[in-house]
Amino acid sequence: MEKYNEFKYKVISETKDGKTKQLYWNIAFGLQDVDNIKPSEYMLQLAKENVEGKKTYTEVYKQIDSYYKESTHINSDEREADIVSARIVQMLSSPTFRFDYNTLKLYHKHLFDGVDILVSQKYIGNFRDYNITKSEPILDGDTVLYSDFSMIEDTLRYDFEEEKNQDYTEMSKEDILKRLATFTSRIWQVHPFGEGNTRTTALFIQKYITYLGLKDMNNELFKDNSKYFRNALVRANYINIPKKINENDEYLIKFFSNLLYKTDYQLDNADLDIKEK
């Protein structure tokens, strides 16, 4: 039986590489900026200790969880940023993945379970059963038209099936960028959840890109440009004929180009604001 030992499964353990750990925390903290929230100083210190190898991820998560369970004066925004960031780091650290629209639901549940981002916890990890709009500053207060709640599951099923049939091995770099931008834009436009859509989408897409073998990402972009990422998704899904504005994915393609091929396009939110045109 010894000759089969080399084929045994190996347990996935936390990386000891401080640079990689720092990258994951940077991404996680940066994504909170999408909703204008910041991690607490306590969370920043725990993350530093994790990067330095003084605490494991599990120890960090247990400490931050206990901290908020025992605290009598809670800043709800910091609590959300801290807990969701820790969970994002956990998911980024794991090489596991399944390409399925239900994975979006599971990611949403994992990130936001017990976090007060919605009126009711029943919507955490479940598709919304109501319709939504959202005033967007870059659209001069207008909103993207999101999918009707009754069509969420069918729309996602179609989008994922179409994506599953793509052959990235036959695509040029330009085609890969265009296709990833299209797929990301479509699932984000569905906006299947009441809150937390951009953070869930960003996590899913990073995991998907790694799954495709495109691992050499400059995903530091999510640290400093998470708002640009969201605003690029907004512009990719907004059309207003009277104002002569069409859906425009060029901004999202620039983001993915910098992410995957380390180009140096300037990612300036002012470029996406229709009032600046």
Side-chain angles (χ1 to χ4, degrees), residues 3 7 26 44 78 83-84 102 106 116 118 123 136 143 170 179 185 201 205 213 234 244 251 253 255 270:
K3 65 180 180 179
F7 301 113
N26 286 348
L44 293 174
E78 287 186 350
I83 292 176
V84 175
N102 280 311
L106 294 173
D116 298 327
L118 294 167
Y123 293 113
E136 301 287 353
T143 183
E170 297 296 322
R179 181 59 213 172
S185 172
T201 300
I205 289 301
V234 169
K244 301 187 183 302
Y251 307 108
I253 289 173
F255 180 89

Side-chain angles (χ1 to χ4, degrees), residues 38 117 188:
K38 304 287 184 185
I117 63 167
W188 180 87

Side-chain angles (χ1 to χ4, degrees), residues 14 21 25 29 40-68 81-83 85-87 89-90:
E14 180 178 333
K21 288 183 179 183
W25 285 110
F29 292 151
S40 67
E41 289 298 323
Y42 182 54
M43 183 75 256
L44 293 174
Q45 179 58 38
L46 289 176
K48 182 173 183 290
E49 292 177 16
N50 176 247
V51 171
E52 294 172 348
K54 297 176 182 177
K55 282 186 172 66
T56 65
Y57 164 79
T58 301
E59 290 170 335
V60 167
Y61 186 79
K62 285 182 177 178
Q63 279 193 234
I64 201 66
D65 188 50
S66 296
Y67 172 76
Y68 282 111
D82 290 354
I83 292 176
S85 292
R87 291 171 179 174
V89 170
Q90 180 193 36

Side-chain angles (χ1 to χ4, degrees), residues 2 32 167 177 198 218:
E2 288 186 8
Q32 308 316 308
D167 186 355
L177 292 175
T198 302
N218 177 26

Side-chain angles (χ1 to χ4, degrees), residues 194-209:
E195 293 287 352
N197 287 281
T198 302
R199 283 175 283 179
T200 304
T201 300
L203 173 62
F204 181 88
I205 289 301
Q206 288 180 82
K207 299 282 287 183
Y208 179 47
I209 289 172

Side-chain angles (χ1 to χ4, degrees), residues 106-117:
L106 294 173
Y107 282 2
H108 190 265
K109 179 176 177 58
H110 180 72
L111 293 184
F112 300 107
D113 190 29
V115 178
D116 298 327
I117 63 167

Side-chain angles (χ1 to χ4, degrees), residues 108 117-134 145-152 189-197:
H108 190 265
I117 63 167
L118 294 167
V119 174
S120 173
Q121 281 286 303
K122 78 173 185 176
Y123 293 113
I124 303 297
N126 290 305
F127 297 150
R128 56 184 166 84
D129 56 5
Y130 53 90
N131 287 325
I132 57 174
T133 63
K134 187 168 188 176
L145 296 183
Y146 302 116
S147 290
D148 188 280
F149 75 86
S150 65
M151 301 179 183
I152 289 174
Q189 185 273 332
V190 174
H191 246 57
F193 311 107
E195 293 287 352
N197 287 281

